[in-house]
Every structure is written in C-alpha cells, then in structure tokens.
Amino acid sequence: MALIDNAIYVDGRRAATPKTLDETYEVMKANNGFAWIGMYRPLEREVRSVAAEFSLHHLAVEDALKGHQRAKLERFDDILFVVLRPARYIDDEERVEFGELHVFVGPDFVVTIRHAESPNLAKVRTRMESTPELLAFGPEAVLYAILDQVVDEYGPVVAGLENDIDEIEDQLFDGDQEVSRRIYALSREVIEFQRATQPLVGVLEALQRGFDKYSVDVELHHHLRDVLDHTLRVAERGDAFRQLLDNALIVHSTLVTQRQNDETRRLSETSLAQSEEVKKISSWAAILFAPTLVGTIYGMNFTHMPELKWVFGYPFALGLMVAMGFGLYGVFKKKGWL
C-alpha cells in the first residue's frame, strides 16, 4: 500500500488514522469530517479506488496515472485538480531534481499523489496539525499549505542555481574549456525550472479569482496572496537566470572568437618572421653563388678558353666575383631583404 499518511480531521484536529482506504471511507462518513489521504507512487488500482469513492473526473485520473504534466489547475464541478512541479537542489551533484505532485481537493477530502521525494508533505501536515484553527477551514486550507510548501522549497533551488551561475562567470574568464557544456546544462535546468514556476502563477491567480464565487474565508485570502507574491519573486529570479545564462553564452562565444583571432595573429606573425628569415637566407645564398659560379666555370680546364692564357684573366675573374657579390648585395638591400 502506497499510503504514507492517512487521517480524518474534525474541527481542525485529527480524529482518526485509518489503516486502509476502505476504512478511511467508512470513518470519514461516520465522523462527518474531511479526509487527508497522502499517497506515494500508488498503484493504478489504488488511484482508481479513490477515484470511485470521491467521484473524480476520469480525465484528471488519467493525468494522475500517466504523470509528466505541467503545473495546472482544473475544476470539475466542486472538485479541484492541481498539478504541481516541486523541485529540490542536490548540492553534491550540483543539479536540480524535479518532481510531480497531484492534488485532488473536494468538499470533504484532500488526496495527494506524489511521484518524487519532494515536496515534504509530512512537514505540511505537522504544521497544519499544530494550527488547528487554520486546519479547521477544511480542504482548501490544506491545498494552500501545500502550495506554500512547494514554493518555499524553490528557495534552495534558486540559491543553488545562483551559486552555479556565479561559478560559471568565474570560469568564463579562466579559459575553462568545459564552461560551454556547463552553460548549456544549466540553461536546460533553468528552462525546466521556469516551466515549473511560471504556470504556478496562473494557478494561484485562478484560485484568487474564485475567492468570492466559492466563498473562501478571508484568512485564506491572506495566505494565498502571500504564496502568490513569493511565487512571483521566484518566477522573476528564473527569468533573470535565463537572461544571465544567455549573456554568459554570448560572452563565451566572444571570448572564444577573440582567442581564435589572437592565435591566428600569432601564427601570422610567426609566418611573417619565418618569411623574413627565408629572404635573408636566400639573399646570402645568391650572393655566395655568384663567385662560386665564376670559379666553377674557370675551373673546368677546357683547352680552348681564351681567358686562361690572358695576362689579366686572373684579376678579371676575381674582380667579377667581387662585383657580382656587391651588386647582388645592393639589389637585395634595396628590396629590404637584407
């Protein structure tokens, strides 16, 4: 049995704690109170048992069985069906875990179906039982207390996300190669957080609009307005986180482009320096090649070489070597190669 806690309340106080659903139905009728049934990952037959007893709408029951719903509020005659997306920040893993909570609220019952560890509904029940004057307002008071707990548990999530974003801002300018991956991962979490919190504003505003129509007590008005104000602040923080991460991604792209440009400039400067060295080497090679060429020609010792027996042949060859060397030096110097 997936019953976590199950109680009958009369005048704001626990009158009975049935052990089974069937016993709950009998005791509730006998005591003329309201039932608060807390279930954690129940089986289909357990959900359908509750649905049959309290005449829950089949569409709401199907949503509760399938799960994976967005935060929403639906009214079926005098029964409210509320879907909430609680969240908790897991500090060791630096990630946000999202849950799902379905709440059925009728004139004489509250049924909660939880699919994750959060929210801490035991804390809600303890707080409500310690204030019987508030619990005496009935099932709607329980709903508002659950909403308050879900929104309160968003606080550590906001603090955790804020800390992660601060770390990303430090990583951006440290040249960490993994920062882009972390930005994308954190962006997905922030988007999921927005999907959980933003529809909740509409849920609370819809409840607020029904105050007069359904004769909700003034004291509950104040509690719900406080929850709505807190939710609006949380939603605004989510929007701010999304903007910060978008800006961080732009800054990261700019820094990557700047680093690539700096690397390209360094490569260009290195290539230019190498080109200058090649010019110098080529120039000196050409200068040294000139006398080598003259010496090689006259060193071939052919019989019929007129300059070999010429009295000025030797000084002519030396002069030619020197002249060609200085001539090439002058040419390369003028071109800036030397």
Side-chain angles (χ1 to χ4, degrees), residues 20-50:
T20 66
L21 288 174
D22 291 336
E23 185 181 349
T24 301
Y25 308 149
E26 295 175 2
V27 175
M28 184 181 69
K29 294 173 183 176
N31 286 271
N32 195 29
F34 79 89
W36 182 354
I37 302 173
M39 308 177 79
Y40 177 67
R41 294 179 179 173
L43 300 175
E44 181 177 347
R45 60 181 175 80
E46 295 166 344
V47 176
R48 295 203 180 277
S49 171
V50 172

Side-chain angles (χ1 to χ4, degrees), residues 12 34 69 129 161 190 194 205 253 262 329-330:
F34 79 89
Q69 304 292 315
E129 289 181 350
L161 290 173
V190 169
Q194 287 181 304
E205 289 176 342
S253 300
D262 291 342
Y329 180 84

Side-chain angles (χ1 to χ4, degrees), residues 15-257:
T17 306
K19 300 298 182 183
T20 66
L21 288 174
D22 291 336
E23 185 181 349
T24 301
Y25 308 149
E26 295 175 2
V27 175
M28 184 181 69
K29 294 173 183 176
N31 286 271
N32 195 29
F34 79 89
W36 182 354
I37 302 173
M39 308 177 79
Y40 177 67
R41 294 179 179 173
L43 300 175
E44 181 177 347
R45 60 181 175 80
E46 295 166 344
V47 176
R48 295 203 180 277
S49 171
V50 172
E53 177 65 24
F54 297 124
S55 301
L56 304 181
H57 197 279
H58 68 93
L59 292 178
V61 173
E62 291 302 319
D63 286 346
L65 289 172
K66 292 180 181 178
H68 305 291
Q69 304 292 315
R70 295 191 68 180
K72 64 179 180 179
L73 167 68
E74 294 178 346
R75 183 179 289 275
F76 302 96
D77 296 327
D78 59 349
I79 296 175
L80 287 174
F81 174 55
V82 182
V83 179
L84 303 173
R85 296 298 309 278
R88 64 171 182 159
Y89 186 81
I90 302 176
D91 194 54
D92 293 341
E93 302 175 19
E94 292 188 337
R95 69 179 181 89
V96 181
E97 180 183 82
F98 295 92
E100 190 167 338
L101 175 65
H102 300 156
V103 185
F104 292 92
V105 181
D108 56 358
F109 68 87
V110 177
V111 179
T112 60
I113 300 176
R114 190 159 48 94
H115 293 279
E117 296 299 323
S118 60
N120 187 350
L121 295 183
K123 183 178 179 181
V124 176
R125 193 183 290 263
T126 300
R127 177 161 56 89
M128 292 296 289
E129 289 181 350
S130 66
T131 54
E133 64 278 4
L134 182 60
L135 190 55
F137 289 119
E140 285 190 331
V142 175
L143 173 61
Y144 295 170
I146 292 172
L147 289 166
D148 188 35
Q149 180 65 26
V150 169
V151 176
D152 281 346
E153 290 187 8
Y154 287 149
V157 177
V158 169
L161 290 173
E162 186 174 25
N163 183 65
D164 288 344
I165 292 174
D166 289 341
E167 291 178 357
I168 282 177
E169 290 176 346
D170 294 335
Q171 285 179 283
L172 275 175
F173 299 98
D174 291 341
D176 192 331
Q177 298 300 316
E178 293 296 319
V179 67
S180 59
R181 186 188 302 275
R182 191 175 183 190
I183 290 174
Y184 280 116
L186 194 55
S187 294
R188 287 197 299 269
E189 289 187 344
V190 169
I191 290 171
E192 189 68 21
F193 186 63
Q194 287 181 304
R195 289 175 179 170
T197 57
Q198 288 180 344
L200 188 54
V201 174
V203 169
L204 294 168
E205 289 176 342
L207 288 171
Q208 196 175 48
R209 288 193 295 271
F211 282 166
D212 296 331
K213 182 177 180 181
Y214 297 101
S215 302
V216 177
D217 192 273
V218 176
E219 183 64 24
L220 295 181
H221 292 198
H222 301 319
H223 284 280
L224 189 66
R225 288 195 184 98
D226 182 64
V227 176
L228 177 58
D229 290 342
H230 192 180
T231 304
L232 287 170
R233 290 195 298 271
V234 170
E236 288 172 358
R237 295 300 298 279
D239 293 340
F241 290 159
R242 180 78 178 275
Q243 186 61 48
L244 283 172
L245 288 171
D246 288 344
N247 292 340
L249 196 58
I250 293 172
V251 171
H252 176 64
S253 300
T254 302
L255 291 174
V256 169
T257 303

